[in-house]
């Protein structure tokens, strides 16, 4: 079952602009994680935000979590061509150990 | 170097011929899991393991088997592969429960079943 759904499916911006991606989920979560994937390669963990946190920063990344709206957003500031990748959110539900990924947002940053 | 390794990286096989994709991690992680990635469907979890001898089904376990006899290894077995198992497979591990820890992913195994 698909828990997280990213929006938009694809995003194309110019270098230096900010990129915002959203993730919506259906059931209550324990935490939410964001991952990045360069084409055809393994996913790389970006940030984990727990259900009792509202915002988290890591370098140029800012993640917010709104449990009342069952949504999260990932903001990449001052984007670079090297940020071109697909970005996925992942959640665990209730007491389950299953990690459920969304379908991803494909970000293209044009130089 | 801390890493998750998978072998083989690429595999072309025929329907019905049993195969095993190996996964190994050198980080002493407890949690390991397998995913398949298909266009338009994202990543879907096949099986996961909380620790040695403890495995459980993910969202798409049909047609797959796993075992966890040692902490570092978590092989994925396709007893009788079929064309619908053509996919990109990823193994991942984490220090502890999926609830609270980041996943470290392997480089992927691209499987084609003809």
């Amino acid at each position: 079952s698909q828990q997280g759904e990213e929006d938009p499916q694809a995003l194309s911006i110019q270098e230096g602009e900010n990129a915002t991606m959203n993730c919506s989920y259906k059931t209550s979560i324990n935490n939410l994680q964001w991952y990045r994937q360069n084409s055809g390669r393994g996913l790389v963990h970006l940030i984990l935000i727990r259900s009792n946190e509202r915002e988290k920063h890591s370098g140029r990344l800012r993640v917010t979590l709104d449990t009342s709206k069952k949504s999260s957003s990932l903001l990449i500031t001052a984007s670079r061509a090297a940020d071109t990748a697909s970005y996925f959110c992942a959640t665990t539900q209730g007491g389950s150990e299953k990690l459920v990924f969304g379908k991803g947002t494909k970000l293209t940053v044009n130089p | 170097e801390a890493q998750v390794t998978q072998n083989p990286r690429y595999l072309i096989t025929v329907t019905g011929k049993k195969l095993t994709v190996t996964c190994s991690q050198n980080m002493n992680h407890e949690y390991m899991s397998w995913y398949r990635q298909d266009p338009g469907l994202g990543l879907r979890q096949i099986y996961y393991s909380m620790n040695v001898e403890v495995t459980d089904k993910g969202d798409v376990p049909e047609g797959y088997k796993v075992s966890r006899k040692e902490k570092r290894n978590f092989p994925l077995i396709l007893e009788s592969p079929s064309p619908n198992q053509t996919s990109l497979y990823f193994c991942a591990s984490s220090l502890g429960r999926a609830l609270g820890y980041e996943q470290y992913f392997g480089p992927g195994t691209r499987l084609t079943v003809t």
Side-chain angles (χ1 to χ4, degrees), chain B residues 28-99:
Chain B
N28 202 34
H29 283 173
E30 290 191 351
Y31 185 98
M32 296 186 74
S33 56
W34 277 101
Y35 300 85
R36 61 177 289 174
Q37 185 175 29
D38 302 289
L41 296 177
L43 273 90
R44 294 177 292 168
Q45 194 177 55
I46 303 170
Y47 270 95
Y48 63 92
S49 170
M50 292 289 297
N51 213 324
V52 175
E53 302 294 359
V54 181
T55 63
D56 212 339
K57 295 177 182 178
D59 285 324
V60 288
E62 295 79 18
Y64 304 94
K65 285 176 60 176
V66 293
S67 68
R68 188 96 181 268
K69 293 185 170 55
E70 305 166 282
K71 197 171 186 178
R72 63 181 293 131
N73 296 322
F74 191 45
L76 179 70
I77 304 157
L78 285 72
E79 295 262 354
S80 183
S82 62
N84 65 11
Q85 292 178 297
T86 292
S87 189
L88 180 57
Y89 291 86
F90 290 101
C91 180
S93 72
S94 65
L95 185 62
R97 304 173 70 189
L99 293 170

Side-chain angles (χ1 to χ4, degrees), chain A residues 86-104:
Chain A
S86 290
Y87 292 82
F88 296 86
C89 66
T91 59
T92 55
Q93 310 164 38
S96 171
E97 291 298 329
K98 284 199 289 185
L99 193 60
V100 181
F101 284 80
K103 295 178 183 178

Side-chain angles (χ1 to χ4, degrees), chain A residues 70-87:
Chain A
K70 291 186 170 61
S71 69
S72 173
S73 67
L74 169 67
L75 168 67
I76 304 174
T77 59
S79 63
R80 306 165 182 167
D83 294 328
T84 294
S86 290
Y87 292 82

Side-chain angles (χ1 to χ4, degrees), chain A residues 22-39:
Chain A
N22 302 296
C23 170
S24 59
Y25 56 90
K26 297 171 187 167
T27 61
S28 63
I29 60 170
N30 302 291
N31 66 49
L32 186 144
Q33 304 182 38
W34 284 92
Y35 289 82
R36 164 199 168 118
Q37 183 184 34
N38 289 87
S39 183

Side-chain angles (χ1 to χ4, degrees), chain A residues 12-18 78-84 108-111:
Chain A
S12 182
I13 60 174
Q14 296 300 122
E15 214 165 21
E17 294 180 340
N18 295 341
S79 63
R80 306 165 182 167
D83 294 328
T84 294
T108 302
V109 181
N110 302 298

